[in-house]
Amino acid sequence: MSAPVRDGGDPSARVYAPDFLTELFRNPLDPGYADAAARRREVPPGRLRRVLGRPVSLVIVLVIGFLFAVAYRETVAEEPGRAKARAGLVAGIKQREAETDRLTARADQLREEVGRQRDAALGGSQASRLRNLEAGTGLGRVRGDGVVVRLADAAGDEDGVTAANAGPPRVLYSDLQKVANALWAAGAEAIAINGQRLTATTTIRSAGEAILVDYRPVTGPYEVAAIGPGSMRDRFDDSRAADLMRDVARQTGLSFGVKDAEDLTLPAAPQPRLRYAVPSVSPSPSPSGSGAAGSTSPGPSGSGTSSSPSGGGR
């Protein structure tokens, strides 16, 4: 497609360039604007237009300035209220966190006191057996050698095209699930994520951008510490989960590392909420004897709920 080119003031002097885009960047102003400007130079505006033009322009400038001033004043007036509300929320969160930490420390002290009283009441063999059971179920603090798997989000925004098949450049809850399950399969005897001990009923889920371990938020970098035999490191490195995480780290920039650790101390998990079965009340027999009315038979097991979340997107 060709484009007309203006040469001087004579309309007959227009020529056509073969490259429309090149000519568009070379002469961005349409010839019609140039003609209008030339006519204004040849025929100056009337006296009335010149007299009215300046006051109108001044009024427009004043109105725009007034609107900007009003908007700025409203923004400045609302800022203290927003800052105060934000500060109140931050203070409330910090207060609740401090209260939670204080109650957690108090609960640990009471648990240790109960343990001492229990060991004093029981015999030596019975107390030792009970401690071993607590360590195995996650209800007792344990120490030993093992490995630490560290995962962290990518430092910056990576290329979304090259990392499309590997997922986002941040740690997902499913990544922690895969790592924990691979460590269990490698022979781990106790595992904790950022100090949160894992048990048979532990859930690793996501809530928005946050990752919850037993409904407690954990933030990156994430450290999955495991105590187990000496062969656990080699078995984990050869697992499918480790290969997947190494591939994800290579494609997205996510940080993934495994190291040996000596004399790890993993805390005890919180006491579980015990649930007891209660006998159900027998329904009164229906007149027809069919049992359809007032039936108390449960539905299919697991309907509507699941103890484990669905798999991740990697």
Side-chain angles (χ1 to χ4, degrees), residues 6-298:
R6 180 73 172 175
D7 186 11
D10 187 5
S12 62
R14 295 180 178 178
V15 295
Y16 291 88
D19 192 345
F20 173 74
L21 293 178
T22 302
E23 195 61 35
L24 178 64
F25 284 103
R26 185 181 302 169
N27 299 311
L29 187 63
D30 188 86
Y33 292 101
D35 293 342
R39 285 195 301 269
R40 283 197 298 271
R41 287 194 298 268
E42 295 173 359
V43 182
R47 185 169 180 273
L48 179 62
R49 184 176 180 181
R50 291 198 304 270
V51 171
L52 297 179
R54 292 180 179 179
V56 171
S57 301
L58 181 61
V59 170
I60 293 175
V61 170
L62 291 177
V63 170
I64 294 175
F66 176 76
L67 294 177
F68 275 112
V70 171
Y72 176 77
R73 183 176 180 181
E74 291 294 331
T75 303
V76 172
E78 294 178 359
E79 183 61 27
R82 289 195 296 265
K84 186 177 180 180
R86 188 184 305 111
L89 291 175
V90 171
I93 292 173
K94 291 183 177 180
Q95 181 181 359
R96 292 298 180 89
E97 289 179 348
E99 184 178 357
T100 301
D101 294 340
R102 180 180 60 82
L103 293 176
T104 301
R106 178 60 177 165
D108 293 338
Q109 293 176 0
L110 294 176
R111 179 183 299 179
E112 293 179 359
E113 180 64 24
V114 170
R116 287 193 295 267
Q117 297 291 339
R118 181 198 58 202
D119 294 343
L122 295 175
S125 60
Q126 292 179 345
S128 177
R129 181 172 178 271
L130 185 58
R131 284 194 295 269
N132 291 334
L133 291 175
E134 285 181 341
T137 56
L139 300 181
R141 185 172 55 183
V142 294
R143 293 178 60 183
D145 299 336
V147 299
V148 175
V149 182
R150 188 179 186 275
L151 301 95
D153 298 340
D157 295 335
E158 299 292 331
D159 187 2
V161 176
T162 59
N165 295 330
R170 59 183 178 86
V171 179
L172 305 178
Y173 77 99
S174 57
D175 300 333
L176 298 181
Q177 287 180 345
K178 292 181 177 67
V179 170
N181 291 333
L183 287 172
W184 287 125
E189 300 172 1
I191 300 177
I193 299 178
N194 284 21
Q196 299 291 333
R197 185 76 173 274
L198 304 188
T199 65
T201 59
T202 296
T203 58
I204 303 175
R205 301 174 182 266
S206 64
E209 297 294 329
I211 297 179
L212 307 180
V213 178
D214 265 347
Y215 304 103
R216 295 185 179 183
V218 292
T219 58
Y222 307 92
E223 290 190 351
V224 185
I227 294 176
S231 61
M232 181 175 58
R233 166 71 183 275
D234 296 334
R235 295 177 63 182
F236 175 76
D237 287 337
D238 296 337
S239 66
R240 182 179 179 183
D243 290 338
L244 174 63
M245 293 311 303
R246 282 191 289 264
D247 185 57
V248 170
R250 183 170 53 255
Q251 295 188 42
T252 65
L254 181 146
S255 177
F256 173 75
V258 185
K259 67 177 181 179
D260 295 319
E262 297 180 356
D263 197 21
L264 287 173
T265 300
L266 304 186
Q271 291 288 342
R273 178 185 297 178
L274 301 180
R275 298 180 180 179
Y276 302 92
V278 294
S280 60
V281 179
S282 299
S284 58
S286 59
S288 61
S290 62
S295 175
T296 59
S297 59

